Amino acid sequence: MPLEPTHKALIESYLEDPEAISAIFLGLCWNESILASEARLDLHPNESLSDASLRHKLGWNPAWLTEAGFTAYDSAGTALEEESHTQGQMHWDPPVRTHRLDDKVKDTATGHSKRRRIGGEIAVLSLWTHVVTSRNVSIERPCKLDRNLRGARFRDLLIHFLSKSLPTGWQVRHEVPLTHIRGLHMRRDVGDRKSDILIIDEGGRLVAALSSKWTWRSDRGTEAAQMVPLTRYRPDVPYAMATAEFPRAAGVARESIEDRTYHICPGWVGSWMAVNELAADASALARWPDLAALKQEGINRAQTLALNGLDVLVKDLRNSGDIL
DNA sequence: GTGTACACGAGCAAGGCGAC
DNA sequence: GTCGCCTTGCTCGTGTACAC
């Protein structure tokens, strides 16, 4: 399914803004979570959102959402400035819709696992919404994107982003038979396999082979199957991967067989990890009182893990050198 | 309880092939 | 040439067993 013109235009509008690019990739591949309703709290009379979050022992901070642009209303429909005037369940405007980030925690989970998952989803939603609203990114989350289309859309977005970010004359090709790569032609063991994405400079030199993986599993063998002939016959060509994997992001950066890996939103992964690792008896509100603190924690974590974004991928490709 | 490996399902895209 | 059917290869997601 080809990439829609509006999606292409969106990418082209924010090529120089890594955070907006993160928001566009995540927003256009949104994986709706059913746990978003957990963001609606039961409030006591004259109780603030902060007090309610402490009473409920939340793994997230309501201030993240309000800072991102969500407005809280009590059960009577009165906007919550400081305290609720009525008892009952509050709600958010716009409604909170989170992205499912952790497939390891089931929808039916309870206890600390559920607390961790909801906290992580709301943390990333807050960071995502803040970028979208502050930059006025015109993006509409799909209600339900078929899971079998998510990987293809991610790949198409990545191809278009690279095509527009790399110098004139460079090519970003995908689904190229490996036998079309010089050095792999006439090889007996290459077979009919195809490369995910190939980056070719203006001189026709193969700069890198890139694999796009919306999610990542250690047991998927397709990457390794491509790697064998590439590394054997073209060891001079770097092999990289771009992914949107959250729960295994640290493992991808540390253990994947590619030369380098890149993430669509490294800082948000770092924030997500920090929220996930919050102790069961610890307060998210006290640990990260505002969105800036949460964001900075994520950036620090991403740097520690050497998680790089797509902007770094573009720089790395551009710096391929010109000496054969 | 958590993480990992393995197997498998559902679905998409591309290409081969025969019938018309 | 075009259409429909089928196969192949790939993707992401899920279930289960097992080790720690």
Side-chain angles (χ1 to χ4, degrees):
Chain A
M1 187 177 293
L3 201 58
E4 295 176 22
T6 52
H7 297 166
K8 289 184 178 180
L10 203 53
I11 290 279
E12 291 166 25
S13 300
Y14 295 95
L15 286 178
E16 304 301 325
D17 187 340
E19 281 195 326
I21 289 295
S22 296
I24 292 167
F25 270 74
L26 197 59
L28 292 180
C29 299
W30 202 261
N31 183 12
E32 196 82 359
S33 170
I34 70 166
L35 296 187
S37 60
E38 301 291 336
R40 302 177 66 177
L41 307 176
D42 282 320
L43 301 180
H44 288 167
N46 304 317
E47 184 179 42
S48 68
L49 276 177
S50 298
D51 289 342
S53 73
L54 292 172
R55 181 171 57 82
H56 286 287
K57 298 180 180 177
L58 299 180
W60 54 281
N61 182 356
W64 301 341
L65 287 174
T66 53
E67 199 175 333
F70 291 88
T71 303
Y73 293 87
D74 66 16
S75 59
T78 305
L80 286 167
E81 298 293 338
E82 293 293 334
E83 297 176 342
S84 169
H85 297 291
T86 59
Q87 184 167 2
Q89 191 180 61
M90 52 80 65
H91 68 275
W92 295 96
D93 185 52
V96 169
R97 293 173 55 200
T98 57
H99 177 82
R100 184 175 182 183
L101 302 162
D102 193 343
D103 61 344
K104 292 180 176 179
V105 181
K106 297 179 180 178
D107 291 347
T108 55
T110 58
H112 186 51
S113 294
K114 184 178 181 180
R115 180 180 189 259
R116 283 195 300 115
R117 183 177 146 185
I118 295 169
E121 288 182 3
I122 292 179
V124 172
L125 172 69
S126 302
L127 293 164
W128 181 88
T129 305
H130 187 257
V131 169
V132 168
T133 53
S134 64
R135 290 161 170 80
N136 200 26
V137 178
S138 177
I139 190 168
E140 187 174 342
R141 285 169 286 164
C143 291
K144 181 172 173 58
L145 180 63
D146 192 304
R147 67 179 187 179
N148 294 306
L149 297 176
R150 194 166 287 118
R153 175 172 286 183
F154 173 54
R155 180 202 61 205
D156 292 344
L157 288 169
L158 184 63
I159 289 171
H160 192 68
F161 169 72
L162 291 175
S163 297
K164 296 298 177 183
S165 300
L166 292 170
T168 304
W170 287 44
Q171 300 175 53
V172 182
R173 299 171 59 184
H174 76 107
E175 293 293 311
V176 178
L178 293 185
T179 51
H180 290 198
I181 300 173
R182 188 181 296 274
L184 273 68
H185 67 297
M186 298 174 66
R187 302 294 189 182
R188 186 188 298 271
D189 55 350
V190 171
D192 296 329
R193 293 201 167 276
K194 294 178 180 177
S195 170
D196 221 1
I197 301 171
L198 296 181
I199 316 297
I200 301 161
D201 70 9
E202 75 277 10
R205 292 170 293 231
L206 180 56
V207 174
L210 180 66
S211 174
S212 70
K213 295 278 176 287
W214 175 251
T215 61
W216 182 88
R217 301 284 185 281
S218 61
D219 59 310
R220 289 185 188 147
T222 51
E223 303 87 356
Q226 287 182 5
M227 279 291 289
V228 171
L230 269 172
T231 54
R232 175 180 296 176
Y233 301 124
R234 290 298 302 271
D236 57 311
V237 176
Y239 193 75
M241 178 175 65
T243 184
E245 174 65 46
F246 266 75
R248 304 167 189 82
V252 170
R254 191 178 56 245
E255 300 170 9
S256 70
I257 58 175
E258 286 80 7
D259 295 303
R260 294 193 183 186
T261 57
Y262 303 87
H263 202 282
I264 63 165
C265 48
W268 299 349
V269 171
S271 299
W272 177 88
M273 286 179 181
V275 171
N276 258 263
E277 293 169 13
L278 188 68
D281 57 348
S283 164
L285 185 147
R287 182 73 178 80
W288 303 286
D290 54 34
L291 213 47
L294 180 66
K295 179 180 175 181
Q296 189 57 49
E297 172 92 43
I299 292 170
N300 295 343
R301 292 225 173 197
Q303 289 174 344
T304 302
L305 292 168
L307 275 175
N308 291 314
L310 299 183
D311 55 321
V312 178
L313 169 60
V314 171
K315 288 178 186 173
D316 287 348
L317 291 171
R318 282 173 171 267
N319 293 333
S320 59
D322 53 8
I323 301 174
L324 292 175

